[in-house]
Amino acid sequence: MWAVPLLPGLYALFCRHVVPLFRRQLAKVRYQRIGGLTRLHLFRGATCVELLLLSAYIAGNGVAVALKAIQGATIASSAALAASINLIPLLLGGRTSRVADVIGVSRPVYYVAHHWIGRTAIVEGLVHAAIGLHAVAQGQAFDPIAVSGCMAAGSFLAVFLLSLPWLRRMLGAAFHGVHRILYLAGMAGLIWHVLLTQSVLHEILVFVACGLWLLSHVYRVVAHWRSAVVTEKWSDSEVTRLRLKTQRPVAAFPGSYFYLYLPGSYFNYNLMHSSAVMMLWSDVEQTVTGKTTDFHILAGRQSRFLRQLRTIEKGDRMLLDGPYGQDLQLSRYETVILTAKGMGIVSILSMALHLAARKAYDDSVRSRSNRDEDPTLGLTAPPAAASVFRDATRRIDLLWRLEHNNQDQWVADQLKALQDLDPRRVMLLVWCIYPKPQAREPPFQEEPHWVAVYPAEGQTMAEAEAPYSFEKALSHEVLMPGKCIVVACGDRAFTDERRASVIRNTSKDWPIEFVEAEYRPRHDEDRLRHGQGRPRYSENQHRHTLRAAPVRLRRRDRPADRIHSWGSNVPLHMV
């Protein structure tokens, strides 16, 4: 017992002197995907640490069932108890678990955990049901207990089968509706079953799980749902961008996302279908406070739901559910490297804007030179006694690889605002890598730290990118003191390339943390990989935008003259 007070000191010495020696090996375990699983499309390309945690969870369930059986309980009762316990984390929420957000679990990791907790609970429940059906086959009466058990087991078995990737892809957009119906039917059968068996322990576990599920949905409706009015709209052949205004402020943070419900045909909103969308900041003051009532969303045409956004008009109301997501607390890092491919810019651009706006706010407080509006920063200088954020961030690198040259027009105003937030050009480094030779000026003023990289005639994009590669940016930032974090958003090949670079550059003296952005829009390569044909966009299609099919989205019929197409002559700059 005398050694217990020494443990905190020994742990600190271990972290300070031993852990740095193995930083590269630890980074490989934390970040590198397992190649075999990636090629087989299993576990969404899990990393070593994710697979270890998943294996420990499944093995722990098996050991718990075996220990209960050794202690004298039957296999059926042990499996039923384990399944009931697993229902509690399973029913904390589907796509919108507030608990996962609070404890800092990312959306992709939570999805994997939700899937495998559910599968483990269902397998344990099916073991219990199989033993019960065997007893019925041996002559036991097929009473209401057996009927309720069969109802629950059948519903959960269907849920298990439909969760398999190939069957889920076959259902498409109908999966979420079918999934809800089946698990509600399964829970109804399970409640009926435990009430008939009169097992107090199982009744408590099942009703606690149901109560948590109900409370999470009530909290979601009360705290996260809000109506938004469309005040402006812009659209081209690839994306639709809307400006929304809400009555209640949205407590958003960099990287947060929302679920969007469109107007319905028979009710105010179509609550059966929603899709995740990202917020684009539209006001510098609101960016600093994190309380905004006026912002933009930018959505691609990856699904039928998002294509319906093209039929939305100015003045329409939509329902927002959010914000959700993991706050990465980027202000704790001295160096922040944000890298994106194509549509992935919507995930990371708000992070750069947020950090730069907070830095500009701190500078305006410290200077106290002008209490009126500062035209350089776009901020109102606060009183001298105002507090400052004191962020640790000293350097922000934004590296964007575009999929076609016109993508910069989607976020042109945000890029201009970001450049204005760093008037001394000491904080930001921005490289935009274009796939084709230059045809027009970039949306920002080119400077030594703001570079638009275009391939020359006869040069490939990779050759043009070589002097401005992510590897070069990492090696350059090694000279910067403090902690570094890399946030990547793009397709699988792009993020894996960034993972490998982070692992190679991690050293004893310079730790790097790697994170994939939670919201990951589909890219052209993903559409090709899933057999959805060639990318719909080419450079010569910029002036020939598609016309959205006129569909009725409100209970009242719309006048025919309100349905129109949107050309490329609509200005993007809406801030």
Side-chain angles (χ1 to χ4, degrees), residues 458-517:
Q459 190 180 30
T460 65
M461 185 180 182
E463 292 171 344
E465 186 182 6
Y468 302 92
S469 65
F470 176 74
E471 191 82 23
K472 182 174 181 179
L474 268 183
S475 60
H476 178 267
E477 298 302 345
V478 169
L479 303 176
M480 300 293 293
K483 298 183 295 183
C484 174
I485 185 171
V486 174
V487 184
C489 186
D491 56 32
R492 180 59 58 84
F494 177 83
T495 55
D496 283 351
E497 176 188 321
R498 297 320 192 221
R499 285 172 183 270
S501 296
V502 167
I503 293 171
R504 283 194 301 269
N505 286 275
T506 298
S507 65
K508 172 186 175 182
D509 300 319
W510 199 55
I512 312 175
E513 187 169 340
F514 178 82
V515 179
E516 276 194 68

Side-chain angles (χ1 to χ4, degrees), residues 536-569:
R536 291 185 292 270
Y537 192 94
S538 63
E539 289 293 326
N540 60 3
Q541 290 176 330
H542 183 59
R543 297 185 178 275
H544 302 283
T545 55
L546 301 178
R547 178 169 178 164
V551 297
R552 184 167 64 90
L553 293 178
R554 304 289 292 251
R555 286 175 289 179
R556 62 180 183 272
D557 293 328
R558 289 176 172 169
D561 59 356
R562 293 184 65 189
I563 299 173
H564 54 277
S565 61
W566 303 277
S568 59
N569 58 343

Side-chain angles (χ1 to χ4, degrees), residues 210-348:
C210 293
L212 291 174
W213 178 83
L214 182 62
L215 286 175
S216 67
H217 283 72
V218 170
Y219 174 81
R220 175 185 175 189
V221 172
V222 173
H224 281 211
W225 282 16
R226 68 201 69 223
S227 176
V229 179
V230 179
T231 57
E232 293 185 42
K233 174 182 176 177
W234 180 86
S235 181
D236 71 3
S237 61
E238 283 293 292
V239 298
T240 296
R241 177 168 162 169
L242 303 176
R243 185 170 186 170
L244 305 179
K245 188 173 182 60
T246 61
Q247 291 182 346
R248 289 189 298 156
V250 178
F253 50 87
S256 59
Y257 60 92
F258 298 81
Y259 288 100
L260 184 67
Y261 295 89
L262 297 181
S265 299
Y266 304 102
F267 300 97
N268 288 337
Y269 306 107
N270 182 6
L271 298 179
M272 295 303 297
H273 299 286
S274 66
S275 185
V277 294
M278 286 292 299
M279 169 189 288
L280 288 174
W281 299 104
S282 62
D283 183 87
V284 178
E285 293 281 357
Q286 294 180 353
T287 301
V288 172
T289 61
K291 301 286 186 178
T292 178
T293 58
D294 187 10
F295 56 92
H296 301 272
I297 60 170
L298 183 70
R301 300 177 62 231
Q302 305 98 320
S303 67
R304 178 177 176 273
F305 174 87
L306 294 178
R307 288 196 295 270
Q308 288 181 353
L309 280 178
R310 303 175 67 82
T311 63
I312 292 293
E313 302 172 12
K314 183 178 178 180
D316 285 344
R317 285 188 173 273
M318 292 182 293
L319 183 66
L320 287 176
D321 178 16
Y324 295 103
Q326 182 183 17
D327 190 353
L328 299 177
Q329 300 291 327
L330 297 179
S331 59
R332 297 184 292 109
Y333 297 87
E334 283 78 7
T335 302
V336 177
I337 303 178
L338 308 171
T339 176
K341 180 179 180 181
M343 188 72 173
I345 190 66
V346 300
S347 288
I348 67 169

